[in-house]
Amino acid sequence: MAFESYPALLVTKLYVPQARSAHVSRGELLAVLDTRSECKLVLIAAAAGFGKTSLVADWCNQRAEKAAWFSLDEGDNDPIRFLSYVVAAIQTCYPDVGGELLAALQSPQPPPTAHALATLVNQLARTPNRLLLVLDDYHVIENRAVHEALSFLLDHLPPQKTIIMLTRADPSLPLARLRARGELLELRADRLRFSAQEIADFLNHKMGFNLPPEALQALDTRTEGWIAGLQLAAVAMQSLSEAKQAFIDSFTGSHRFILDYLIEEVLSQQPENVRHFLLQTSVLHRLNGSLCSAVTGAADGQAMLEHLERNNLFLIPLDQARYWYRYHHLFADLLRARLLAENPDSVAELQSQAARWHEANGLPEEAILYALDASDFEYAASLMTGSGAGVTRRGEVTTLLDWYRKFPPDFVAGNPQLCLQFGLAFALNGQWHEAETLLSYVEQREADSRPDDALLLAYLVATYRQDAARLRAIAAEAAAAPTPDRVTKMVLGLIVGLSGDLRHACQLMAEAQESSERAGDYSLALTALFHQCRYQVFLGNLHEAYGLCQEALARIQQIGDAALPMASFAHTSLGRIHIEWNELDRAEQHLSQAIQLGELSGFVTGMVSSATMMLAEVKQAWGDSHEAADLARKAMAAAERNDPPTEVIWLKTYQARLWLRQGDMKAAGQWMREVQTQQQSVSLFYPAPVTPITQARFLFMQRKTDEVIALLMRLLNAPRHLLTVEGLALLALARAAQGDHVHAWLTLEQALVAAETENRVRAFLDLGAPMAKLLGRYCEVHPEQKYAQKILANFPAGASEAVSVESLSERELEILRLIAGGHSNEEIAQRLVLAVSTVKWYINELYGKLHVKTRGQA
């Protein structure tokens, strides 16, 4: 799949620059670059004008190796856009690499960075020969996510593949680690300066000046080998038939002052039409003949560009056909400064003409940039909501927020469609105050003038703020729509899901998915499918949920060889399913993938914290309490960092469940006290019954069986859900503890019937030795109950005869510790202020629970 198929990408950013006529080939430095065979990164860092681009372009053009070139600009700070260009650059060398990935990156729901890079690395590893990936002007990158993506790529780069970075400043990359490993080659200003011989070669042989050695020495001293200064001096001296020495004598000062002086000399020597052309076209990032003619109003744009190139006026060709060019960065900066000084009123009009040319030629995103530079906000807004809407569909949040900062706040406030686009970008970026402010501007307008998608932003803000009244109002508005569109149906499904009616929510999501597919909106259809996965897990319909998750992942595979950011929904759901099935290895794989996807894609709200806490459950199931506790702490930290405050409360319930399994009654008791004082809120990510079930487990460990039974009976009268099996199993234990074995076994049978339908195992195993003991007795009486025997077989050997901490009361534990300390019955009675007969009764109870006959065994 050729990169030219994607109009959002500018192909001129992917060409290796061609050498100019006066180019000096730098054999010594080229030889140094040839030694980089074991290096992952070649870093060429120096200020502007030191020939970084010319050196590497010459190296790439002279060597037979494949070179993928990417010239960066400020717009490439968006991770998805950056990665799209990297893939497209590689395709100039290997057309078969990354086609599906590039399609996914350009899709409405681009893939997370982790999967995109993993896919790219795997495909590069299968390509033969060396590959040089050149990143020119990397200093424009300020986004940490781009730096992290490049660090990941460097860490996993296959052999014979090298990244070459040209930059004015050291990047935020692990350079020290690369140096220590011998994987970094560095060229800096001290090595890039022209030598005396190269200065002579350039000025006398390439430019034909025949300067004497003392003049060459003076220029060397004054420029210190700075290539841009020498080039500017050469252009200035071209117009001097005599007095070259006088010019050289006056050539002094810092680089900046030299440049200011020389630009004046260069411009003053140009014909007026050339000077006018240079100034007017200085507003352009890239130039071609048609664009220059549109901006200047002259018909000779292409001829003028050819004249500039022939006369070495700092014009750099960007493609082999010499169709696209750009000015040398320093030259362009000074031309723009001169234009602003001489004719500031013309700048906006020139930029506006450039914007309209780019729109007319199928480059709307470039047009938006020029329109914003020209402060033509009406035009920029029309492009954003029209032909330039691809940035929003692709989810390039960073780019959208950069554009937002260029609009006047009052202008955005008066444009509801812009408010919505920018508001969603802020919400996805976790900047809720800004999202809420923009939403308020939309809601101040009459209902019939609001964008159709306004309900989605309203839902996101209301759920974050836990505004139940607002959610009810949104639900009423959505339900009142005579013919609800697919977005409205999805919002209604989300709100119904929050209310707990998960079956109705699934139905609405299925309808939203179907209508989205009919409309060709596959991104929204996939989103609706993910929510169905989540709801079916909450309902306890594990097999149906598993099928939906597999369907979702299969659709992702069809879109491209990568997973979309929201695939973390599917992997988190699969993690829970495999935990319930006691398939812990597979659960760990899916949960680890969900965490990686979330962290590297930025899709972290709810997903990273939930998946990390489930991973703690897996570790605890394997008996690794230390690792489980550590993961639980990380999950809570992620929730406090990324999730709404109410979600943190819900997640702590899962941490309390781990404390109960670890026997940490003190920590669990603190949670119990906290939860009783909190008003229960609606959760985006957690099933509501988890709190009362956990409370019941705590009460059971305190041997408060009456309270356990009362609580569970209220809960189990509600509709069935994921925790129904666990509730029934716990109720059976409580009844058995009261000696009501008939009802205990009847309840256990109910739990087994409900569990067998969905192959539930873990709900029984997490109840520990008391459940193993109850199941053991049940299987002795009912050997025909194969599913009960299957569950019992999953307990550790001897569990049905062992005793767990939760089956002992606090008093029994205290007496057991005194027995272990060697105290007699009388001493124990004195310490605890009990009658000796009471101590003997406790000890007999302990012997029975521990299945021992002596103090030593106890």
Side-chain angles (χ1 to χ4, degrees), residues 184-407:
L184 174 65
L185 172 65
E186 298 174 82
L187 291 178
R188 298 187 178 273
D190 57 338
R191 302 187 72 177
L192 293 171
R193 301 180 193 279
F194 264 14
S195 66
Q197 181 57 48
E198 288 170 327
I199 292 173
D201 185 21
F202 171 61
L203 293 173
N204 286 349
H205 297 115
K206 298 293 183 181
M207 301 302 297
F209 289 143
N210 297 316
L211 296 174
E214 58 272 17
L216 293 173
Q217 178 61 46
L219 285 171
D220 186 3
T221 300
R222 285 164 171 76
T223 63
E224 298 178 356
W226 183 45
I227 299 168
L230 288 163
Q231 188 178 4
L232 285 165
V235 172
M237 286 190 292
Q238 280 182 312
S239 61
L240 299 175
S241 56
E242 304 292 340
K244 287 186 174 66
Q245 188 61 49
F247 170 82
I248 293 169
D249 291 342
S250 66
F251 191 70
T252 185
S254 69
H255 289 169
R256 190 74 207 180
F257 290 115
I258 292 172
L259 207 57
D260 288 343
Y261 173 73
L262 287 177
I263 198 69
E264 180 62 31
E265 289 294 317
V266 169
L267 282 178
S268 65
Q269 301 301 322
Q270 303 305 317
E272 183 56 31
N273 67 324
V274 174
R275 186 178 186 278
H276 185 72
F277 181 91
L278 287 170
L279 292 176
Q280 287 194 311
T281 56
S282 67
V283 302
L284 302 175
H285 310 138
R286 281 168 285 276
L287 310 87
N288 66 35
S290 172
L291 172 58
C292 290
S293 293
V295 169
T296 63
D300 60 347
Q302 184 61 35
M304 187 63 76
L305 290 174
E306 293 171 1
H307 168 80
L308 297 180
E309 185 178 14
R310 283 194 305 271
N311 286 274
N312 297 307
L313 279 171
F314 307 101
L315 193 68
I316 299 172
L318 295 175
D319 55 52
Q320 294 179 348
R322 279 171 158 72
Y323 177 74
W324 283 100
Y325 297 83
R326 70 169 173 84
Y327 289 124
H328 186 288
H329 293 315
L330 288 174
F331 191 65
D333 289 345
L334 288 159
L335 286 174
R336 283 191 287 270
R338 180 64 57 181
L339 177 65
L340 283 169
E342 293 185 6
N343 193 4
D345 294 338
S346 68
V347 175
E349 179 59 29
L350 294 169
Q351 291 167 330
S352 185
Q353 292 295 335
R356 282 165 172 75
W357 184 93
H358 280 87
E359 183 195 13
N361 286 271
L363 299 168
E365 293 166 22
E366 286 284 295
I368 291 171
L369 290 173
Y370 282 109
L372 288 172
D373 287 343
S375 298
D376 192 345
F377 302 118
E378 289 286 355
Y379 183 40
S382 69
L383 289 169
M384 279 191 60
T385 56
S387 57
V391 169
T392 301
R393 290 196 299 270
R394 293 193 302 271
E396 294 183 14
V397 172
T398 303
T399 299
L400 285 168
L401 297 184
D402 285 344
W403 289 352
Y404 170 80
R405 285 185 278 272
K406 294 185 178 182
F407 278 98

Side-chain angles (χ1 to χ4, degrees), residues 36-59:
R36 64 90 188 89
S37 58
E38 299 303 321
C39 292
K40 287 187 174 182
L41 176 64
V42 175
L43 177 67
I44 304 180
F50 273 93
K52 302 183 292 292
T53 300
S54 298
L55 171 66
V56 177
D58 188 24
W59 186 41

Side-chain angles (χ1 to χ4, degrees), residues 27 68 71 98 337 356 358 363 390 463 513 535 538 544 605 707 713 754 765 772 790:
S71 296
R356 282 165 172 75
H358 280 87
L363 299 168
T463 50
Q513 179 187 348
Y535 292 149
F538 285 176
E544 186 170 354
T605 302
E707 295 181 42
M713 289 301 292
L765 301 182
K790 172 187 174 180

Side-chain angles (χ1 to χ4, degrees), residues 15-261:
Y15 290 133
V16 179
Q18 300 299 300
R20 307 214 305 266
S21 58
H23 173 71
V24 175
S25 185
R26 311 190 67 187
E28 183 179 343
L29 289 180
L30 294 177
V32 171
L33 292 174
D34 285 337
T35 67
R36 64 90 188 89
S37 58
E38 299 303 321
C39 292
K40 287 187 174 182
L41 176 64
V42 175
L43 177 67
I44 304 180
F50 273 93
K52 302 183 292 292
T53 300
S54 298
L55 171 66
V56 177
D58 188 24
W59 186 41
C60 292
N61 288 319
Q62 286 193 36
R63 270 45 180 177
E65 295 172 294
K66 293 182 179 294
W69 194 284
F70 173 19
S71 296
L72 291 89
D73 57 39
E74 288 82 356
D76 298 317
N77 269 282
D78 188 290
I80 298 301
R81 179 172 292 199
F82 173 83
L83 195 55
S84 296
Y85 272 114
V86 168
V87 175
I90 292 171
Q91 284 193 341
T92 63
C93 300
Y94 294 110
D96 296 332
V97 170
E100 293 179 346
L101 174 57
L102 185 55
L105 287 166
Q106 294 287 299
S107 72
Q109 289 284 356
T113 309
H115 268 221
L117 290 173
T119 299
L120 184 60
V121 167
N122 291 337
Q123 292 183 337
L124 284 175
R126 294 192 291 269
T127 58
N129 306 323
R130 295 194 179 279
L131 173 69
L132 310 176
L133 172 59
V134 183
L135 304 177
D136 194 5
D137 287 334
Y138 189 80
H139 55 268
V140 301
I141 298 299
E142 299 175 348
N143 191 327
R144 180 182 173 186
V146 176
H147 295 317
E148 290 175 350
L150 191 59
S151 296
F152 180 94
L153 186 58
L154 281 168
D155 285 341
H156 299 88
L157 204 62
Q160 296 193 321
K161 306 296 186 285
T162 299
I163 293 176
I164 304 165
M165 180 179 292
L166 314 182
T167 178
R168 298 181 189 177
D170 279 9
S172 299
L173 297 174
L175 299 181
R177 186 170 73 221
L178 292 169
R179 283 192 199 100
R181 294 175 179 173
E183 297 173 341
L184 174 65
L185 172 65
E186 298 174 82
L187 291 178
R188 298 187 178 273
D190 57 338
R191 302 187 72 177
L192 293 171
R193 301 180 193 279
F194 264 14
S195 66
Q197 181 57 48
E198 288 170 327
I199 292 173
D201 185 21
F202 171 61
L203 293 173
N204 286 349
H205 297 115
K206 298 293 183 181
M207 301 302 297
F209 289 143
N210 297 316
L211 296 174
E214 58 272 17
L216 293 173
Q217 178 61 46
L219 285 171
D220 186 3
T221 300
R222 285 164 171 76
T223 63
E224 298 178 356
W226 183 45
I227 299 168
L230 288 163
Q231 188 178 4
L232 285 165
V235 172
M237 286 190 292
Q238 280 182 312
S239 61
L240 299 175
S241 56
E242 304 292 340
K244 287 186 174 66
Q245 188 61 49
F247 170 82
I248 293 169
D249 291 342
S250 66
F251 191 70
T252 185
S254 69
H255 289 169
R256 190 74 207 180
F257 290 115
I258 292 172
L259 207 57
D260 288 343
Y261 173 73

